[in-house]
């Protein structure tokens, strides 16, 4: 179970679990805070609970303290910011709290932590591993497709911001090279080309539907430099933004 109040972080952790772990025999549940986490955990009794510390309503430390008594078979992994480590130190004193991972989380560290707990639980099919061996894990097409759809949604939701492959990969807890490869294989476009295409299409819509200045539209679709935007627009569309608007 994943307990995390930030939606993108929660979905990112879920994505890497779906892509990098053989979860066919497992079920992933999510909760948005400690109180919801307790309610769901008592109902489903998860083997492993991945939780943030600082959350609304009830923080992760309070949740761990309660569930450590109530669910003696559950094990915990903490994901949090460096500034909250003093809270994590308290939680790490509990016997079944295994790891404290800093955000942004290294997907290799997360997978290693989970696989090692599985091994400790006596699962013969999940031996202890090292980060170097994690890259050998092969995901099926459905799992890769899920990660790609999330990446595309992040692009469409954030094309006006400073977004790139590295940022999206970190949010999805994927290796950037891995994300780049599966993205291109699935879409036929590189990540940057896809982002540019989304930005240009949005700029075309704004040029036709509004009277906003070109430099304003450039900023709205993620370009800090009007000149840079115009150059890319010409290459993609074959004419300047003003000519496109007046055509």
């Amino acid at each position: 179970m994943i307990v995390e109040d930030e939606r993108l972080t929660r979905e990112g952790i879920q994505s890497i679990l779906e892509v990098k772990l053989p979860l066919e025999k497992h079920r992933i549940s999510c909760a948005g805070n400690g109180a919801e986490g307790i309610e769901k955990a008592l109902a489903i009794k998860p083997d492993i609970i991945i939780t943030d510390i600082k959350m609304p309503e009830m923080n992760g430390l309070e949740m761990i303290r309660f569930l450590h008594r109530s669910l003696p078979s559950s094990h915990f992994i903490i994901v949090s910011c460096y500034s909250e480590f003093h809270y994590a130190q308290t939680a790490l004193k509990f016997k079944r709290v295994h790891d404290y991972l800093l955000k942004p989380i290294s997907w290799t560290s997360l997978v290693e932590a989970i696989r090692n707990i599985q091994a400790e639980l006596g699962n013969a099919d999940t031996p202890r591993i090292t980060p170097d061996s994690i890259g050998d894990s092969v995901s099926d097409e459905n799992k890769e497709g899920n990660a790609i759809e999330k990446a595309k949604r992040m692009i469409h939701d954030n094309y006006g911001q400073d977004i790139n492959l590295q940022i999206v990969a970190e949010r999805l807890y994927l290796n950037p090279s891995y994300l780049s490869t599966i993205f291109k294989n699935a879409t036929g476009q590189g990540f940057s080309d896809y982002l540019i295409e989304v930005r240009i299409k949005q700029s075309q819509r704004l040029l036709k539907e509004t009277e906003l200045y070109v430099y304003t539209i450039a900023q709205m679709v993620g370009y800090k430099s009007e000149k840079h935007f115009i150059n890319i627009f010409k290459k993609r569309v074959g004419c300047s933004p003003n000519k496109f608007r007046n055509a």
Side-chain angles (χ1 to χ4, degrees), residues 13-239:
I13 295 173
Q14 182 172 355
S15 175
I16 189 58
L17 297 185
E18 291 171 346
V19 170
K20 285 297 180 181
L21 284 176
L23 293 169
E24 290 81 1
K25 298 179 181 179
H26 303 273
R27 180 162 60 96
I28 302 174
S29 297
C30 296
N33 57 62
E36 184 184 357
I38 286 177
E39 181 181 354
K40 288 191 173 183
L42 291 176
I44 65 176
K45 297 178 175 58
D47 293 315
I48 301 172
I49 298 173
I50 304 166
T51 181
D52 193 5
I53 290 290
K54 192 174 181 180
M55 296 181 290
E57 295 191 39
M58 176 183 286
N59 66 41
L61 182 57
E62 294 171 325
M63 183 195 72
I64 290 171
R65 186 179 288 113
F66 180 90
L67 292 178
H68 197 268
R69 296 192 304 266
S70 304
L71 296 178
S73 63
S74 293
H75 296 251
F76 302 85
I77 297 171
I78 296 171
V79 295
S80 196
C81 301
Y82 178 78
S83 61
E84 297 162 10
F85 181 63
H86 58 289
Y87 294 113
Q89 284 179 309
T90 301
L92 286 167
K93 294 177 182 178
F94 291 109
K95 183 179 179 181
R96 285 176 282 111
V97 176
H98 292 259
D99 282 281
Y100 170 68
L101 305 177
L102 285 173
K103 294 180 179 181
I105 305 166
S106 161
W107 63 269
T108 54
S109 298
L110 177 62
V111 172
E112 181 186 13
I114 293 172
R115 294 292 290 273
N116 289 339
I117 291 175
Q118 290 176 322
E120 187 173 315
L121 292 173
N123 191 338
D125 294 328
T126 54
R128 292 185 69 88
I129 59 173
T130 63
D132 289 339
S133 66
I134 294 171
D136 295 332
S137 176
V138 180
S139 61
D140 59 37
E141 292 182 2
N142 288 335
K143 293 173 183 177
E144 289 184 353
N146 186 37
I148 292 162
E149 288 306 310
K150 288 179 179 179
K152 289 164 70 175
R153 186 172 68 190
M154 286 184 66
I155 290 173
H156 284 274
D157 290 346
N158 300 279
Y159 63 84
Q161 309 299 319
D162 184 14
I163 187 172
N164 55 42
L165 175 66
Q166 183 71 33
I167 291 172
V168 172
E170 286 181 359
R171 288 299 187 100
L172 295 178
Y173 299 99
L174 296 175
N175 180 283
S177 297
Y178 171 75
L179 177 58
S180 176
T181 299
I182 65 172
F183 193 94
K184 188 166 187 177
N185 287 343
T187 66
Q189 292 178 284
F191 181 93
S192 295
D193 285 338
Y194 187 88
L195 174 59
I196 290 172
E197 181 179 288
V198 170
R199 284 172 164 168
I200 295 303
K201 283 183 178 179
Q202 291 300 323
S203 70
Q204 288 176 303
R205 181 182 63 80
L206 290 168
L207 285 164
K208 289 294 188 179
E209 296 179 3
T210 75
E211 296 182 358
L212 293 169
Y213 292 115
V214 171
Y215 71 82
T216 301
I217 292 175
Q219 292 178 342
M220 290 177 67
V221 298
Y223 293 99
K224 296 178 181 179
S225 166
E226 180 185 5
K227 182 178 180 181
H228 181 50
F229 165 69
I230 292 173
N231 287 337
I232 291 178
F233 191 96
K234 285 180 178 179
K235 289 180 181 178
R236 291 281 172 153
V237 182
C239 64

